[in-house]
Amino acid sequence: LAPWVPVVGLEIHAQISSNSKLFSASQVQFAAPPNSLVSFFDASLPGTLPVLNRRCVEAAVMTGLALNCSINKRSLFDRKHYFYADLPAGYQITQQRVPIAVNGSLSYSLCIDNKMSQMVTRTVRIKQIQLEQDSGKSLHDDTRSQTLVDLNRAGVGLMEVVMEPDMCCGEEAAAAVRELQLILQTLGSSQAVMAEGQLRVDANVSVHHPGEPYGVRTEVKNINSIRFLAKAVDYEIQRQIEELENGRTILNETRAFDSKLGCTVPMRDKEGEQDYRFMPEPNLPPLILYDAESLPANMDHQQVVNIDWIHERLPDLPSVKRAKLVEQYGILPEHSFTLLNEDGLMEFFENTVKQTQMKPRKVIGWILNDLLSYLKKHSLTVKESPVSSLLLGDLLNLLERKDITAAAAKQVLAELWKGEGKSPLEIIKEKKLEVIQDHKELEQICQAVIDGHENEVIMVVLG
């Protein structure tokens, strides 16, 4: 039999970085006291109406442009009905029929066989980006057998990025999401911190034989870490292959990833579109955007969103930053990925290079091999490093001037990790690690060693 072909598509919900919610003036703040940031509209009191947040629209346009999308100058809002305790209106306002952005693409790179030197670039198509509200949060209290509802998150602005099923494994899915996360953070359109629920991923997974139609897909919901995403997708692919090879069928269902057990578990049958009863949102007019050509002369610029104005102000995206790092410092392309993927590492590297006469290609070795492995061993972020770029620069200068050997520099680095506030020079003097330049002094040391080990010397001579 021909091998199985896995197919993976992703839906990613990114929380928009905005001071207030999508349709209300309530503040957005992580870990605020429960139900302290809820307006009448968020709680769905009768008679309350949505007012669209301009900042959220601009963030979605910016993201769409960065992902090579066409921006729809006229997009529509819809109601998606489902009943859950943390959705007080009984529906979510989203953009189902005509979203704000369509037909984009995202290029991402990944290593082959875990070898950083063998990187391949892939592209995933972006079907659409839509604006929608988040729901509240249900907190299940098992000891008291009750569920508590916190509506602080209800109505927070989300961008849903829908990717086409162009991926085939967990590693590809993880690399694509990491690249998207970096782009969102560079733009400032979302902080995209997965640990705070600002980036949540749903993975659609199916398998089929080459030349046959796609298989029945399952959806793994609300994956909240890139590492878990890779594991969840690979587990689900393997599970489906085993089910089919054992003569069983795949159910079109929603599953969750249990990170402790490392497997996916069934949650519920998958809703179909008919279950959601989509209808146009009667309280919101079409969202109209402009560009330099279509902007009326008498229009108040504060009241409209100008796509061209946003386009001109896009910052350098991660791919451009990487190319600049390679060109400016002569480092390897794969090293530029590591510098950008670790939060704060690029700044650390650039600051260290400014502090030292050592060539950037040698500096990167110290940062990737020594600094990064230490941080990972102690589960620290770059910003928590007890060794600053200033201290590392000082140490590398001493090494570059041949005041110490590379082995001694590693010893000094080990001392600096302790964070006792000593400078590299103080540690060198204290531990007597400096390279001895005086020949007479070296001769005296050698002679003292020989004099103190007469028996060993006789053994060597008699040898």
Side-chain angles (χ1 to χ4, degrees):
L1 258 180
W4 292 97
V5 178
V7 177
V8 181
L10 302 177
E11 293 166 18
I12 298 143
H13 289 89
Q15 183 182 314
I16 298 170
S17 195
S18 165
N19 293 330
S20 54
K21 295 183 181 180
L22 185 56
F23 298 118
S24 81
S26 291
Q27 206 186 334
V28 175
Q29 188 191 324
F30 179 67
N35 296 309
S36 61
L37 307 172
V38 187
S39 70
F40 290 155
F41 176 77
D42 305 328
S44 296
L45 264 64
T48 54
L49 293 170
V51 178
L52 183 57
N53 178 338
R54 176 191 164 131
R55 157 69 193 158
C56 293
V57 175
E58 289 175 339
V61 170
M62 199 189 296
T63 305
L65 292 170
L67 295 175
N68 312 302
C69 292
S70 301
I71 306 296
N72 282 325
K73 289 187 189 170
R74 182 178 185 275
S75 60
L76 305 171
F77 287 97
D78 303 285
R79 287 186 180 184
K80 175 183 181 178
H81 294 80
Y82 59 97
F83 293 92
Y84 209 65
D86 53 25
L87 193 75
Y91 61 83
Q92 174 197 42
I93 302 177
T94 181
Q95 292 188 307
Q96 176 68 11
R97 295 164 299 155
V98 187
I100 195 164
V102 292
N103 301 334
S105 63
L106 168 70
S107 290
Y108 61 96
S109 295
L110 67 158
C111 323
I112 301 174
D113 301 330
N114 282 334
K115 289 180 190 151
M116 278 305 283
S117 55
Q118 291 184 302
M119 296 197 85
V120 290
T121 300
R122 303 257 159 85
T123 301
V124 57
R125 290 167 299 153
I126 307 285
K127 185 185 178 192
Q128 64 190 58
I129 299 174
Q130 62 201 49
L131 280 166
E132 61 186 33
Q133 308 164 288
D134 208 344
S135 57
K137 203 172 180 183
S138 293
L139 307 159
H140 305 293
D141 186 341
D142 293 336
T143 51
R144 286 191 282 184
S145 303
Q146 56 183 199
T147 294
L148 307 168
V149 176
D150 178 9
L151 292 180
N152 280 349
R153 207 175 64 185
V156 166
L158 299 177
M159 292 176 283
E160 182 178 354
V161 180
V162 182
M163 293 182 176
E164 297 283 11
D166 294 342
M167 291 161 282
C168 67
C169 65
E171 195 184 354
E172 284 191 3
V177 171
R178 179 64 183 129
E179 189 67 9
L180 176 65
Q181 186 181 39
L182 282 174
I183 289 169
L184 295 171
Q185 290 168 343
T186 302
L187 297 172
S189 58
S190 172
Q191 291 170 6
V193 179
M194 294 188 90
E196 294 184 9
Q198 293 164 354
L199 200 69
R200 309 195 288 278
V201 184
D202 301 339
N204 292 301
V205 181
S206 69
V207 296
H208 65 279
H209 285 304
E212 291 182 4
Y214 282 1
V216 175
R217 70 177 196 203
T218 60
E219 183 179 30
V220 187
K221 289 285 278 187
N222 285 333
I223 306 165
N224 61 0
S225 111
I226 288 173
R227 199 161 52 88
F228 292 162
L229 170 63
K231 286 183 172 177
V233 167
D234 287 340
Y235 175 86
E236 188 56 22
I237 290 168
Q238 223 31 61
R239 184 191 73 83
Q240 290 187 18
I241 291 171
E242 283 171 21
E243 289 285 291
L244 292 167
E245 286 185 345
N246 286 318
R248 292 189 285 271
T249 53
I250 302 299
L251 300 174
N252 181 213
E253 63 183 353
T254 300
R255 298 175 73 88
F257 180 65
D258 186 320
S259 56
K260 289 191 181 74
L261 297 174
C263 65
T264 65
V265 291
M267 282 170 72
R268 58 174 186 269
D269 290 345
K270 183 84 188 94
E271 296 92 343
E273 278 202 13
Q274 70 281 359
D275 299 328
Y276 289 131
R277 290 183 299 109
F278 284 102
M279 62 177 268
E281 170 53 60
N283 294 324
L284 285 163
L287 170 57
I288 308 294
L289 306 177
Y290 296 88
D291 58 16
E293 279 180 29
S294 64
L295 194 66
N298 58 351
M299 185 71 81
D300 180 358
H301 286 266
Q302 297 301 310
Q303 296 302 310
V304 298
V305 172
N306 181 340
I307 300 165
D308 288 340
W309 190 88
I310 293 171
H311 200 275
E312 283 162 20
R313 284 157 183 77
L314 283 182
D316 278 350
L317 294 176
S319 53
V320 176
K321 284 186 189 172
R322 289 189 197 104
K324 284 186 176 175
L325 284 169
V326 170
E327 192 185 334
Q328 189 178 346
Y329 299 110
I331 62 174
L332 297 170
E334 54 267 27
H335 290 163
S336 71
F337 275 89
T338 314
L339 284 183
L340 247 76
N341 280 356
E342 298 290 332
D343 189 26
L345 196 61
M346 185 179 83
E347 293 79 3
F348 192 100
F349 166 71
E350 293 197 299
N351 290 337
T352 307
V353 168
K354 281 179 200 155
Q355 299 291 335
T356 177
Q357 284 91 49
M358 187 179 272
K359 284 199 167 68
R361 281 190 82 145
K362 281 171 78 179
V363 173
I364 195 100
W366 281 87
I367 284 179
L368 298 189
N369 300 331
D370 298 273
L371 179 99
L372 208 52
S373 58
Y374 170 84
L375 293 175
K376 290 208 162 141
K377 198 166 102 185
H378 292 82
S379 302
L380 294 171
T381 65
V382 176
K383 285 165 184 156
E384 292 166 334
S385 170
V387 179
S388 66
S389 54
L390 191 69
L391 283 175
L392 185 60
D394 284 351
L395 175 60
L396 297 183
N397 271 337
L398 293 165
L399 178 59
E400 194 62 11
R401 290 205 304 264
K402 297 192 165 47
D403 290 349
I404 51 170
T405 62
K410 287 188 189 293
Q411 272 183 268
V412 176
L413 201 52
E415 289 297 314
L416 288 172
W417 290 134
K418 295 177 183 173
E420 291 168 355
K422 293 174 189 166
S423 72
L425 206 53
E426 285 168 344
I427 293 167
I428 289 164
K429 292 220 160 88
E430 198 179 286
K431 302 263 177 198
K432 298 190 170 55
L433 294 171
E434 56 269 82
V435 171
I436 300 165
Q437 311 283 6
D438 186 340
H439 281 276
K440 280 193 175 166
E441 192 180 342
L442 279 171
E443 279 174 20
Q444 285 169 353
I445 291 168
C446 294
Q447 194 58 53
V449 171
I450 291 167
D451 293 345
H453 298 80
E454 281 180 18
N455 293 342
E456 285 86 345
V457 172
I458 290 164
M459 294 293 285
V460 170
V461 172
L462 294 174

